Structure formats: C-alpha cells, structure tokens
Amino acid sequence: MLLVLIVLNILFFAWTDAETRGAVEWMSYGFCMFSFVVACVAIFRVPQDSDEVYSLTTNYVCLSYFAVQTVLSVVAIYYGMVLRRATEMVQATSDKVNSIVSNITGAVQQALPDSIGNLSTDSLGTVVNETVGSATDTVTQQSSFLADHYTTIVLTVYLLVFVFYAIRLFVHHTANQSTAADLAEQARQHAYIADNSQRVDRLARQITDPQAKKAVTQLYETIHFSANVTTAEGKQIEQEVASGIDRLAQLVASADWQAVTQCAKELNQLAKLR
C-alpha cells in the first residue's frame, strides 16, 4: 500500500502542471488519497477484529471504492486538462487570426491610394475584428461556463460515489454484526446443550436404581435433543435447569434415589418448556 501511495503521488505531480492545477485536480487528489486511507484502515483493522465475520467482503468494499475513485480521478484530471487546453487553443487561434488580419490590412493599405486605403482598411479591420472578437468571446464564455459546471459535476460524482460506498459499508457492517451475534448465540446454545447433557449422562452412569436411572436418562435425552431458543423465557429456563442439575448431582452423591427420581422428572418437565 505504501508503494501504491508513492506511485500515485509521483504520477499526480509529474502528470499535472503546477501552474495550472485547479480545483478539479486538487479535489481529485484529495478524494483519491481519502479512499486510499479508507482502504488501508480496512486492510489493517479487519484481521485484528475478532467479531468480523465477512472480513474479505469488508476489504473488498473499501478496496473497490479506492479503485473506482482512482479511475474517476484520472478521468476527471485528464478531461479537465483537455478543457483547459481547448480554451487556450481557442485563445491562441483568435490571437493568430487577429495578427493575420492586421497584416492583411496593412498590406491592403499600402497597395491602395491613401484616400481609399484608409477607408477600406478601417472598415475591413473593424468588421473582421468585431467578428473574431464576438466569436472568441462566445467560445470563451462557453468554455468558462463548462469549466465552472465541470467542477460542480466532478464534485457531485465524487460525493455520490462516496455516499454509495458509505451506505454499502454501513449495510454490510450492520449485517456483519447481526450475523456475528447470531453465530455467538448459536455457539452459546450448543455449549449449553453439550455441557449439560454430558453432566446428566455422567450422573446417569453413577445411578444403580432402575427408576432413578430411567428418569435421569429421559432428562438427558430431553436436553440433548432440544432445539435452540433465543427468547428471554427460554434463557431463564436454561439457568434453572443448570441449577437443578447441580442439585441433582448432590442427590446422586447421597444415593437418595427417590429424591433423584423426583428431581429428574421435575427437571425433565422444565427442560421441555424451554
């Protein structure tokens, strides 16, 4: 990225003329450098963000903005240079025509008698000068009008591109956070099912009473094959079931099989409500 920055700056300052750099050139340079900074921030930030789910997509959005902005800047600068050179060419052509007319007028004045030559050349020079001057003014005004609006058009395009990618990045960031939250919740649900079902399974292996063992096994099956929940009531039931398993473990350790059977049945009914 540092190499790209160096190349862009060399191309800009070598390609554009320092004396004729205007609003379009500096505006294009500023937006291009801004998009470069955005791309750099995305590249160096995303790999360090553990909550990022679609890091490749985030980098793609920022890098594509940098690429599009760079192309637009090159086109805008080039077309701005073309407009400026066209205006300069019109002015140079006008000056050249005026010079030719002056030379022709002088030659005609020398060839004709003084009484006729002064009248003819003055009339001819006036007509030609007025015609050339009017044409030059018209072209210059149109060129200036186009140049002023060209700056506005370029700025508008840059802002529209920026807003488009900003909205796209915001939507992507929102979707990314939502997906990350969903994945975290799924991981928590899987951990709850795995941890508690394994605890109940270990308790079932320690039970020697058939009825108590059957009740604890049914509790294991209910927890192990339960679906994920996201409601507040379901999460509250999860906490109650986890606390109930702690109580069940104490009953199994004391070998109170009747109490174990009763506790396992109650926890089984509670786990089904989850």
Side-chain angles (χ1 to χ4, degrees):
M1 296 300 294
L2 180 61
L3 180 61
V4 172
L5 178 64
I6 294 174
V7 171
L8 285 176
N9 279 272
I10 292 176
L11 290 177
F12 176 78
F13 290 103
W15 187 31
T16 60
D17 188 1
E19 298 178 355
T20 58
R21 278 189 211 119
V24 172
E25 284 78 9
W26 285 114
M27 185 169 54
S28 301
Y29 178 78
F31 273 95
C32 186
M33 291 299 103
F34 172 76
S35 63
F36 174 81
V37 172
V38 171
C40 287
V41 170
I43 290 176
F44 288 106
R45 184 195 68 85
V46 169
Q48 299 175 2
D49 191 350
S50 59
D51 295 331
E52 187 74 18
V53 178
Y54 305 113
S55 59
L56 180 61
T57 306
T58 301
N59 288 334
Y60 169 76
V61 172
C62 296
L63 288 173
S64 61
Y65 171 60
F66 169 61
V68 170
Q69 182 60 56
T70 301
V71 173
L72 289 176
S73 298
V74 171
V75 173
I77 292 174
Y78 176 76
Y79 194 68
M81 294 170 61
V82 170
L83 285 178
R84 185 168 53 251
R85 290 175 181 175
T87 303
E88 294 173 353
M89 185 179 298
V90 169
Q91 187 61 44
T93 303
S94 175
D95 295 340
K96 187 174 182 180
V97 170
N98 287 330
S99 177
I100 293 174
V101 170
S102 297
N103 293 333
I104 294 175
T105 301
V108 171
Q109 186 176 5
Q110 292 178 0
L112 295 175
D114 294 340
S115 58
I116 301 176
N118 291 332
L119 179 61
S120 301
T121 54
D122 290 342
S123 300
L124 177 61
T126 301
V127 172
V128 174
N129 286 331
E130 289 180 353
T131 303
V132 173
S134 177
T136 302
D137 291 340
T138 301
V139 174
T140 302
Q141 291 175 1
Q142 291 179 352
S143 299
S144 300
F145 178 82
L146 180 60
D148 293 339
H149 282 71
Y150 177 68
T151 303
T152 304
I153 291 172
V154 170
L155 177 60
T156 303
V157 171
Y158 286 164
L159 292 177
L160 288 176
V161 171
F162 169 75
V163 170
F164 170 78
Y165 276 99
I167 294 175
R168 186 177 179 185
L169 187 61
F170 173 77
V171 172
H172 166 72
H173 179 67
T174 303
N176 185 79
Q177 286 186 327
S178 177
T179 304
D182 291 342
L183 292 177
E185 179 62 23
Q186 290 179 9
R188 190 194 67 81
Q189 294 283 338
H190 293 160
Y192 163 80
I193 294 173
D195 293 343
N196 288 282
S197 61
Q198 289 175 3
R199 290 175 61 192
V200 174
D201 183 55
R202 286 194 296 268
L203 293 176
R205 296 177 184 177
Q206 300 173 18
I207 299 174
T208 57
D209 182 74
Q211 289 186 346
K213 189 178 187 67
K214 179 180 179 181
V216 173
T217 301
Q218 290 177 345
L219 174 61
Y220 163 78
E221 293 176 350
T222 299
I223 297 176
H224 183 71
F225 296 105
S226 63
N228 293 337
V229 296
T230 56
T231 61
E233 294 79 4
K235 294 179 180 179
Q236 179 64 30
I237 292 175
E238 288 178 354
Q239 296 177 359
E240 295 178 4
V241 170
S243 299
I245 293 175
D246 293 336
R247 186 172 69 256
L248 181 64
Q250 295 175 357
L251 296 175
V252 172
S254 62
D256 187 353
W257 305 127
Q258 184 177 359
V260 168
T261 303
Q262 183 64 28
C263 181
K265 289 181 178 180
E266 293 176 356
L267 289 178
N268 190 30
Q269 293 298 325
L270 183 63
K272 290 180 179 179
L273 296 177
R274 172 178 170 273

